[in-house]
Amino acid sequence: MSQHTPSRRRCSFCGAPEHQAGPLRQGTGGATICDACVVRLFAELDRQAFAPGPNPKGNTATLHSGSDDA
Ligand SMILES: [Zn+2]
């Protein structure tokens, strides 16, 4: 049986339907993302990477906290 579904996929991030958001990129587990969200996420990552000072959202000093003073 071919259930002709006219692409009712939505962006998993902003929820926009594919016919509005454009072609969605499919990730694993059925997650999808639209171009706008990709751009937005990249911009956010960029901002965090270059943000001055410690990240107020979380602890940054958890990676190398340990015996490092030899
Ligand atoms: Zn989106």
Side-chain angles (χ1 to χ4, degrees), residues 5 14 18 44 53 62:
T5 46
C14 68
E18 189 168 28
E44 202 169 305
T62 46

Side-chain angles (χ1 to χ4, degrees), residues 11-16 21 24 33-37 40:
C11 173
S12 300
F13 287 81
C14 68
L24 299 174
I33 187 168
C34 70
D35 274 358
C37 282
R40 203 169 52 207

